[in-house]
């Protein structure tokens, strides 16, 4: 008869889990009892924060939940930051942790890794957090988590298993239930929305991360409606180079003007977060007439006033709309989009335009790559204006929760999800130091990731913010390591280049016989303005 730990692994396998990111410990050894023979690959990061970010990157790149195994106490608290980032960006993640023996919980006995109430702490960021009190509770908890991650807004789910319960026998049960179909919109609501869109003369579509797996349907609907499409950060890569595409932030004045000029706005899979729509903290959202929303989350739909709200999976709803709308005469949609693009580009500083040019070099050198970013200046620039060449291929931690140290481990997780696709990680010298040890995970696993380190000698963007606020700059100059030696210690090829497109393009050229990860350091002594 299997133990609870073995039954857990078997159930994960039934739910399609192929990778687990984690660091084993004395409180989780029973979770590992059946792992080696399960066929599930175990990836060992150097810190539980890395495990969480790897699970996040894996989920974004694969479309499947990322899974992390972490120990009681510090293992779970180290993972809270990635869980919070996943919640902010609607990323499906399952964190399985140990917890101390059942009879000790909440008694303050000074047990190893003890927290006053680990489950309560987890609930502050988890969609759900459940403790497995006995063997019978295991399968319902796992199945409910996977159901939630498949049909609701993504986010972190947590299951904790007391170390005594993990050893209990677990009777064989039936196979995992099939996941339900994606949520469809009400047919009458689809018909009403289609009629409203057909009656409007100047539609603009706002696409968020919830729509990123519906690229073709979005493009077809935009063409039928002759509607410009504004892409938030997590939607970048959709409709690449399409004349109706506006791959620029709705925080920029030119993009806001295009939205305000519309007589109807359709928002698909976007939460209207300030880090997309009010990046400069103006204090208001872009003006929108006749807003209609499609979103999977009923709570999100209630947070902003709209004329029409459809709760549905974005892809299913877009396909349904396509069946209801007919082609409008081609008018000025492409011209409106071009005006917004040109105006948005003109708003960027010279330094930011240079950084966007460097991003274009990276894209062209690695077609179809996953570009995973940290909170660093080139990523800020790209989040303002950058047209990626693959839907879902541009993601970073510079929006939403905004956790530093994200890019290196998230890029590793993304590479495991898409082993045949190029992965490029872009991190600043400051943010890289948060999770620098994870470079050894990439080296050990021989992952062909290109790590680009933007080295401006500290926290350049924060320094600029303090200066602009009239505050004496303090704490923005953490001395970076010698990245050439860091790369050498990890066995990585290394190049250092100036912040110039031609130099970066040369460094990005594949080298004969090169395999595994490489590092490119960009010497960027200036501060963006």
């Amino acid at each position: 008869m299997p133990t609870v730990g073995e039954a857990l692994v078997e159930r994960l396998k039934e739910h399609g889990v192929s990778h687990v990111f984690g660091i084993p410990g004395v409180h989780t050894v029973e979770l590992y009892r059946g792992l080696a023979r399960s066929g599930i690959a175990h990836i060992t990061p150097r810190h539980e924060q890395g495990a969480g970010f790897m699970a996040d990157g894996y989920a974004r790149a694969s479309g499947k939940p990322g899974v992390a195994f972490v120990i009681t106490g510090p293992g779970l608290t180290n993972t809270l930051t990635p869980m919070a980032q996943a919640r902010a960006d609607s990323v499906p993640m399952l964190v399985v942790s140990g917890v101390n023996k059942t009879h000790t919980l909440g008694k303050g006995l000074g047990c190893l890794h003890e927290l006053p109430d680990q489950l309560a702490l987890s609930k502050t960021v988890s969609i759900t957090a459940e403790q497995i009190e006995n063997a019978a509770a295991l399968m319902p908890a796992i199945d409910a988590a996977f159901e939630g991650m498949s049909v609701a807004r993504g986010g972190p789910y947590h299951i904790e298993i007391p170390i005594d319960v993990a050893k209990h026998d677990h009777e064989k049960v039936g196979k995992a239930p099939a996941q339900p179909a994606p949520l469809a919109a009400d047919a009458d609501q689809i018909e009403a929305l289609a009629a409203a869109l057909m009656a409007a003369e100047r539609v603009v579509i706002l696409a968020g991360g919830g729509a990123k797996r519906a690229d073709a349907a979005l493009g077809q609907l935009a063409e039928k409606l002759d509607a410009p499409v504004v892409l938030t950060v997590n939607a970048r890569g959709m409709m690449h180079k399409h004349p109706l595409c506006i791959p620029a932030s709705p925080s920029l004045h030119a993009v806001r003007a295009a939205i305000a000029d519309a007589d109807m706005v359709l928002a698909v899979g976007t939460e209207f977060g300030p880090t997309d729509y009010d990046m400069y903290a103006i204090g208001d959202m872009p003006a929108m007439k006749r807003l209609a929303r499609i979103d999977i989350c009923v709570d999100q739909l209630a947070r902003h006033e709209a004329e029409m709200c459809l709760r549905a999976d974005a892809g299913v709803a877009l396909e349904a709309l396509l069946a209801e709308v007919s082609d409008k005469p081609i008018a000025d949609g492409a011209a409106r989009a071009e005006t917004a693009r040109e105006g948005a580009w003109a708003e960027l500083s010279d330094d930011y335009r240079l950084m966007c040019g460097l991003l274009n070099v990276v894209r062209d050198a690695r077609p179809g790559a996953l570009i995973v970013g940290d909170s660093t200046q080139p990523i800020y620039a790209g989040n303002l204006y950058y047209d990626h060449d693959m839907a879902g291929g541009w993601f970073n931690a510079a929006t939403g929760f905004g956790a530093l140290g994200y890019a290196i481990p998230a890029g590793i997780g993304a590479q495991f999800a898409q082993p045949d696709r190029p992965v490029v990680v872009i991190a600043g010298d400051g943010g890289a130091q948060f999770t620098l040890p994870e470079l050894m995970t990439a080296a050990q696993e021989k992952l062909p990731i290109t790590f680009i380190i933007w080295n401006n000698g500290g926290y350049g963007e924060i320094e600029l913010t303090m200066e602009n606020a009239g505050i004496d700059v303090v704490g923005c100059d953490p001395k970076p390591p010698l990245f050439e030696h860091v790369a050498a210690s990890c066995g990585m090829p290394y190049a250092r280049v100036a912040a110039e497109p031609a130099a970066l393009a040369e460094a990005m050229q594949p080298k004969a016989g090169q395999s595994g990860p490489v590092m490119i350091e960009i010497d960027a002594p200036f501060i963006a303005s």
Side-chain angles (χ1 to χ4, degrees):
M1 183 178 292
T3 64
V4 166
E6 290 173 307
L8 163 75
V9 171
E10 183 177 343
R11 198 60 149 199
L12 293 177
K13 180 80 171 180
E14 291 176 4
H15 279 291
V17 174
S18 58
H19 293 76
V20 166
F21 304 92
I23 301 174
V26 295
H27 286 68
T28 54
V29 291
E30 286 297 328
L31 306 186
Y32 284 77
R33 184 175 292 279
L35 195 60
R37 62 178 180 272
S38 70
I40 296 176
H42 182 270
I43 314 304
T44 307
R46 285 8 183 204
H47 190 280
E48 288 93 357
Q49 181 172 258
F53 284 144
M54 288 178 193
D56 177 299
Y58 179 92
R60 296 196 204 213
S62 69
K64 302 190 303 181
V67 179
F69 280 8
V70 299
I71 66 164
T72 308
L76 191 279
T77 56
N78 286 339
T79 315
L80 287 175
T81 293
M83 291 168 71
Q85 184 71 51
R87 178 146 190 167
D89 286 343
S90 305
V91 178
M93 175 194 297
L94 176 62
V95 175
V96 182
S97 79
V99 72
N100 285 306
K101 292 181 179 180
T102 308
H103 72 273
T104 71
L105 298 179
K107 295 182 179 178
L109 301 175
C111 298
L112 180 65
H113 302 328
E114 183 178 21
L115 282 167
D117 191 338
Q118 179 174 285
L119 200 65
L121 183 62
S122 173
K123 286 179 178 178
T124 63
V125 294
S126 299
I127 303 297
T128 64
E130 293 196 31
Q131 183 186 115
I132 306 305
E133 298 179 351
N134 52 57
L138 178 66
M139 296 307 178
I142 298 172
D143 294 345
F146 276 90
E147 179 179 359
M149 290 185 287
S150 69
V151 299
R153 182 188 182 198
Y157 289 71
H158 175 215
I159 293 173
E160 67 174 23
I161 305 177
I163 57 177
D164 53 327
V165 175
K167 299 178 182 180
H168 289 177
D169 290 340
H170 190 285
E171 294 185 4
K172 280 284 189 179
V173 295
K175 293 291 185 181
Q179 296 304 322
L183 181 65
D186 178 82
D188 290 340
Q189 288 185 313
I190 287 288
E191 184 177 346
L193 176 55
L197 291 169
M198 291 301 298
E201 295 183 358
R202 294 185 314 282
V203 176
V204 163
I205 299 173
L206 308 177
K212 69 182 180 183
R213 302 193 186 279
D215 188 31
L218 180 71
Q220 292 170 34
L221 182 64
E223 290 169 357
K224 281 193 168 189
L225 299 175
D226 191 38
V229 179
V230 178
L231 303 179
T232 67
V233 169
N234 285 325
R236 296 293 174 82
M238 302 182 77
M239 297 177 61
H240 175 56
K241 289 188 174 180
H242 196 290
L244 290 171
C245 179
I246 305 174
S249 170
S251 291
L252 295 170
H253 295 296
V255 182
R256 284 179 165 229
I259 297 170
D261 181 60
D263 61 355
M264 184 169 185
V265 175
L266 173 61
V268 185
T270 176
E271 68 173 359
F272 291 120
T275 49
D276 268 311
Y277 290 87
D278 188 22
M279 191 177 296
Y280 298 112
I282 298 170
D284 61 12
M285 299 288 288
M288 288 176 265
K289 305 182 190 79
R290 300 198 63 200
L291 173 63
R293 297 188 67 191
I294 298 171
D295 202 282
I296 195 70
C297 179
V298 65
D299 293 333
Q300 283 295 343
L301 290 173
R303 288 181 181 131
H304 297 278
E305 185 176 350
E307 182 175 307
M308 306 177 75
C309 289
L310 281 71
R311 182 172 179 241
D313 173 84
V316 174
L318 289 172
E319 292 288 354
L321 279 173
L322 280 173
E324 293 290 333
V325 302
S326 55
D327 291 348
K328 286 187 175 184
I330 301 299
D332 62 348
R336 287 187 285 145
E338 183 177 9
T339 297
R341 289 193 299 268
E342 290 178 351
W345 183 255
E347 288 182 51
L348 303 184
S349 69
D350 290 342
D351 287 344
Y352 267 28
R353 282 197 287 265
L354 170 62
M355 293 179 209
C356 292
L358 294 172
L359 294 173
N360 291 339
V361 167
V362 173
R363 179 196 62 207
D364 296 343
R366 300 284 190 276
L370 299 167
I371 299 183
V372 185
D374 219 314
S375 292
T376 189
Q377 289 175 324
I379 299 300
Y380 298 145
N383 284 350
L384 284 174
Y385 194 118
Y386 172 66
D387 189 10
H388 195 50
D389 63 355
M390 186 192 78
W394 169 269
F395 59 88
N396 56 76
T399 62
F401 194 60
L404 271 171
Y406 172 83
I408 292 175
I412 291 170
Q415 187 71 86
F416 278 110
Q418 298 278 358
D420 298 324
R421 188 174 292 281
V423 173
V424 179
V425 165
I426 301 177
D429 59 288
Q433 292 182 72
F434 278 53
T435 49
L436 202 60
E438 302 305 346
L439 291 173
M440 273 308 302
T441 308
Q444 180 177 348
E445 300 289 343
K446 300 180 174 57
L447 303 178
I449 300 173
T450 302
F451 292 99
I452 297 177
I453 306 297
W454 178 263
N455 191 346
N456 58 16
Y459 302 137
E461 196 72 18
I462 304 303
E463 180 176 342
L464 176 66
T465 300
M466 294 177 78
E467 289 176 348
N468 289 343
I471 297 170
D472 292 336
V473 176
V474 176
C476 293
D477 57 351
K479 184 176 181 180
L482 297 175
F483 284 102
E484 180 176 6
H485 295 305
V486 171
S489 70
C490 297
M492 292 185 192
Y494 166 89
R496 183 177 182 180
V497 301
E500 299 171 353
L504 180 58
E506 173 62 26
M508 294 287 294
Q509 291 299 311
K511 305 299 188 293
Q514 181 175 292
S515 62
V518 300
M519 181 185 292
I520 300 172
E521 180 181 359
I522 298 179
D523 187 8
F526 60 91
I527 300 296
S529 59

